[in-house]
Amino acid sequence: MIAPQAAAPTAILEVRNISKRFGGLWALRDVSFSVAEGQILGVIGPNGAGKSTLVNLITGLSRPTSGQVLIDGKDVTGSRPWVIAHDRVARTFQIVKPFRGLTVRENVAIGAMHGNERDLSVRDSLATADELLEMVGIAKHANDAPGQLSVADARRLELAKALATRPRLLLIDEVMAGLRYAEIEAAVQLIHRLRDSGITIVAIEHVMKAIVSVSDQILVLHHGSIIARGAPRDVLSDERVIEAYLGNRYVKRRST
Ligand SMILES: Nc1ncnc2c1ncn2[C@@H]1O[C@H](COP(=O)(O)OP(=O)(O)OP(=O)(O)O)[C@@H](O)[C@H]1O
Ligand SMILES: [Mg+2]
């Protein structure tokens, strides 16, 4: 007897042939990939490769010149950011965007209040905020103004704000930038914990040690195109990736 074929799991995120042009520059060109639920996809590539543009297109902050974005199989191309957010997609900004007139704690509470568990009371939202600030490691700054935070802590706040909306898909854009070496390990563990709690993650990161230990798969962008995709080990030994991004110094260091 032929066993019935298991249905292929729907990708939580699918990007189909997406391109984005800014004037004469193609920031992204014909990029396609998908992410299965529960996966962590790392995205790397040189400055200007199109990584943040990709996040902006997925989350509705800007519209693709062509191509589609599907969330859970549903075409959301061109939808407004808040509509996509209600599909339980959250992101952090590389250039942090706190509400400057609110405290750190209130910044996170806003996300909880207007996120995907509607009708959360102010009290419950603040309690959620306190839990998340603890989780990302900035509880002691709860009553500070966001402007008082260090660069690394401001990125932690971005992460807490995103998590407050209870996402199923989380896109993080260089949240580890500015962390000290010793702090990176904790950040990697936190990302694994988030995945274990059921969140699918797309992580953009320049810190190679972090991206390698955090990702199930890595996708490499260069001049707006995918030049490699696969398991971290395979991607890092790919000639094109070494040439475009890592450089020979990385290879020599790794082999010593
Ligand atoms: N709004 C915009 N208008 C014009 N050009 C833009 C705009 N946003 C991005 N670009 C250009 O598109 C290209 C890709 O930019 P993007 O910010 O996506 O790169 P990135 O991979 O995130 O780089 P980095 O590692 O420095 O953050 C760059 O050449 C950038 O200058
Ligand atoms: Mg960027």
Side-chain angles (χ1 to χ4, degrees), residues 11-15 33-41 54-55 57-59 69-73 76 84-92 116 159 162-163 165-172 194-195 197-203:
I12 188 165
L13 169 67
E14 187 181 350
V15 170
F33 65 92
S34 61
V35 188
E37 185 144 27
Q39 293 285 296
I40 301 179
L41 175 70
L54 182 63
V55 174
L57 295 179
I58 292 168
T59 55
V69 176
L70 289 87
I71 304 288
D72 270 331
V76 297
I84 295 180
H86 276 140
D87 279 331
R88 301 188 65 181
V89 178
R91 55 93 50 91
T92 67
N116 291 295
L159 183 57
L163 290 172
T165 67
R166 296 272 174 254
R168 287 180 55 220
L169 173 65
L170 174 67
L171 299 107
I172 49 183
L194 296 176
R195 188 263 295 278
S197 76
I199 305 176
T200 306
I201 297 171
V202 176

